[in-house]
Amino acid sequence: MEGVTALDDAGDSALIGWDGRATSATSAAMLNSSFIQGFELDDYHPLAPLHSNSLVLPAMLAAAPRVGRVSGERFLLGAILGYETGPRVGEALGGLDMLSRGWHSGVVFGPLAAAAAAGTLYGLDAAGFEDAFGMAATQSCGLMSAMFESMVKRVQHGFASRNGLTAAALAASGYVGIKRVFERPYGGWLAVFGEGHRTYPEDIYKGLGVLWETERIAVKAYSCMGLLHAAIDAALELRSKVDVSEIQRIDIDMSEAAYAHGGWKAERPLQVIGAQMNVAYAVAVALLDGDVLIDQFTKDRINSDDVWALIDKTLTHHERAYDHLPIDEQLTTQVRLTLNDGSTRTAKVVHPRGTGDRKLTNADIRDKYAKLTRRAISAERQAAIEKAVLGIDTLDDVAQLTALLTPAVHSPLG
């Protein structure tokens, strides 16, 4: 945060959890996005990987004061338009394929989601949305190599939220964006980011009003990259069936996107971001601790010898057969444990917890919220935020929610 505010220290856009600290609208969108997405605890779309809340909510929170009073109902409409837009444009580029090719997919898809959400608050008409999308699309970016040594992975969705907000604001002012930005054969969004691969432009509009991408968005059960969740579920299933000290070898079979993104060999010292992106680490702490949340990503835990003893016994494999499964089964992952006596234990997970028919229930989500915030804010504020969010469609002004979010918070790590 300090690096951004040192450059951009003027403005009235509030920062979540920083007790009155403010900056410009665009910088606030970028920073608030990084606060939402930064510790891999948010949401993800399993077919077109992006973290929707970190894209659409910061852009709208920054836009709202500029357009006057915004009712909770209108804010919710903007969010849904963002939730629908991001996955649809992502699926048009092949969804998971983007990760396999090294793009940080959510940052490529994300400016369009943020533009749709913020554009709703600005009251854009059809032509205005076309302009906003044209300007958002030309700001798509994101290299997945950010997940290794750097800190920039934490803020890349913030770049996308900022860029989408900027696009919507420019369109609202009458600035003309790229027309027909998706379908243009030369310099169009699909043509350029498709890189010669097959694209699916029909997925942008397919099933509008019938197929809801919003319903596919998964709330994370674990504090790590979504493509690792099936492996964690498999490890947790096996945990009660084995003595961890008897494990001789761990084999993990993954589809191409999951393997390329999370199957790389971990080496010490491993940074927090790297641990959250690595399947061998995630499986190790799942087997040892029975959970993969905040406590599993402290520096001390990441450097623990018992964790690295299991990592050193782990081999990851690209199982090509999984690439040819129906698209909603391509997160399939198998974990196989070989014990010292030569016997094996195997678990395969097709739909990780939080996706498909295993979505977190409303009660699960509320429990997760309570667990993660109990050390960060008071019980009274915790309850007030929950009430405002669950009743957002009845709020006269979304500023009522913003006022609850901006006071200072304590570190959830204690």
Side-chain angles (χ1 to χ4, degrees):
M1 186 190 76
E2 298 298 338
V4 174
T5 55
L7 287 172
D8 191 8
D9 61 354
D12 58 0
S13 290
L15 298 177
I16 295 171
W18 284 90
D19 202 19
R21 291 289 295 271
T23 183
S24 70
T26 49
S27 289
M30 182 170 66
L31 288 171
N32 285 334
S33 172
S34 71
F35 301 156
I36 293 170
Q37 207 279 311
F39 211 75
E40 302 293 332
L41 279 163
D42 51 345
D43 61 283
Y44 72 104
H45 193 285
L47 307 184
L50 79 167
H51 306 286
S52 297
N53 281 321
S54 68
L55 296 162
V56 305
L57 300 182
M60 289 194 298
L61 288 173
R66 270 96 193 137
V67 301
R69 184 182 67 84
V70 174
S71 69
E73 185 177 26
R74 186 157 188 81
F75 192 87
L76 186 59
L77 173 63
I80 293 171
L81 290 181
Y83 298 156
E84 289 297 309
T85 299
R88 286 177 174 276
V89 298
E91 288 171 34
L93 276 178
L96 292 166
D97 290 347
M98 292 296 283
L99 286 176
S100 299
R101 289 191 268 133
W103 290 103
H104 191 175
S105 54
V107 192
V108 176
F109 314 154
L112 294 146
T120 304
L121 302 195
Y122 277 108
L124 299 182
D125 58 15
F129 273 113
E130 183 180 20
D131 289 330
F133 289 153
M135 286 181 277
T138 199
Q139 298 180 85
S140 288
C141 59
L143 302 177
M144 204 58 253
S145 54
M147 73 183 188
F148 297 113
E149 302 87 359
S150 82
M151 299 173 71
V152 75
K153 164 70 170 60
R154 302 296 197 207
V155 78
Q156 289 195 153
H157 273 68
F159 297 157
S161 186
R162 174 198 63 194
N163 294 348
L165 168 66
T166 300
L170 286 172
S173 74
Y175 206 79
V176 177
I178 301 170
K179 301 294 187 180
R180 298 173 50 241
V181 72
F182 297 113
E183 61 266 41
R184 285 189 182 273
Y186 175 74
W189 192 75
L190 292 176
V192 170
F193 285 102
E195 299 176 299
H197 296 259
R198 182 183 174 188
T199 59
Y200 307 84
E202 66 278 4
D203 282 358
I204 295 176
Y205 56 84
K206 183 172 65 180
L208 279 174
V210 177
L211 173 65
W212 293 94
E213 296 295 341
T214 301
E215 294 181 344
R216 285 178 168 165
I217 294 173
V219 175
K220 286 187 176 183
Y222 312 111
S223 180
C224 62
M225 185 254 291
L227 297 183
L228 308 184
H229 288 204
I232 294 168
D233 282 342
L236 293 175
E237 180 182 332
L238 293 169
R239 184 172 187 262
S240 63
K241 302 176 181 178
V242 300
D243 180 343
V244 175
S245 67
E246 292 297 310
I247 295 174
Q248 180 185 93
R249 172 172 163 155
I250 303 171
D251 288 275
I252 306 172
D253 300 332
M254 314 170 77
S255 63
E256 180 184 26
Y259 177 76
H261 199 12
W264 45 278
K265 182 174 175 56
E267 297 180 357
R268 296 173 94 164
L270 188 62
Q271 300 300 315
V272 175
I273 297 172
Q276 291 176 312
M277 301 291 124
N278 184 264
V279 71
Y281 181 86
V283 165
V285 292
L287 289 169
L288 291 164
D289 298 353
D291 208 350
V292 186
L293 276 173
I294 289 177
D295 290 343
Q296 281 66 52
F297 295 100
T298 63
K299 289 184 178 180
D300 286 345
R301 191 62 185 127
I302 292 171
N303 195 46
S304 297
D305 289 339
D306 60 342
V307 174
W308 283 93
L310 287 184
I311 290 174
D312 290 342
K313 296 175 181 179
T314 301
L315 295 175
T316 59
H317 313 278
H318 174 202
E319 176 50 72
R320 297 182 187 278
Y322 295 168
D323 302 338
H324 303 291
L325 293 171
I327 189 169
D328 65 343
E329 296 181 10
Q330 290 184 11
L331 299 185
T332 296
T333 303
Q334 178 174 275
V335 175
R336 182 171 61 259
L337 306 180
T338 301
L339 306 183
N340 289 335
D341 63 5
S343 64
T344 60
R345 304 288 188 274
T346 301
K348 179 189 288 186
V349 172
V350 176
H351 295 122
R353 186 167 174 241
T355 68
D357 58 1
R358 302 187 64 204
K359 281 188 175 296
L360 300 192
T361 66
N362 289 338
D364 290 335
I365 295 169
R366 292 170 78 172
D367 287 346
K368 177 184 174 183
Y369 164 72
K371 183 177 182 180
L372 293 176
T373 58
R374 69 176 184 268
R375 288 182 289 192
I377 56 178
S378 68
E380 294 76 17
R381 183 176 169 195
Q382 189 183 56
I385 292 172
E386 180 177 324
K387 181 179 179 181
V389 170
L390 294 180
I392 193 168
D393 57 321
T394 67
L395 293 182
D396 292 330
D397 192 338
V398 76
Q400 296 167 257
L401 174 59
T402 304
L404 292 169
L405 298 176
T406 52
V409 299
H410 305 292
S411 171
L413 295 175

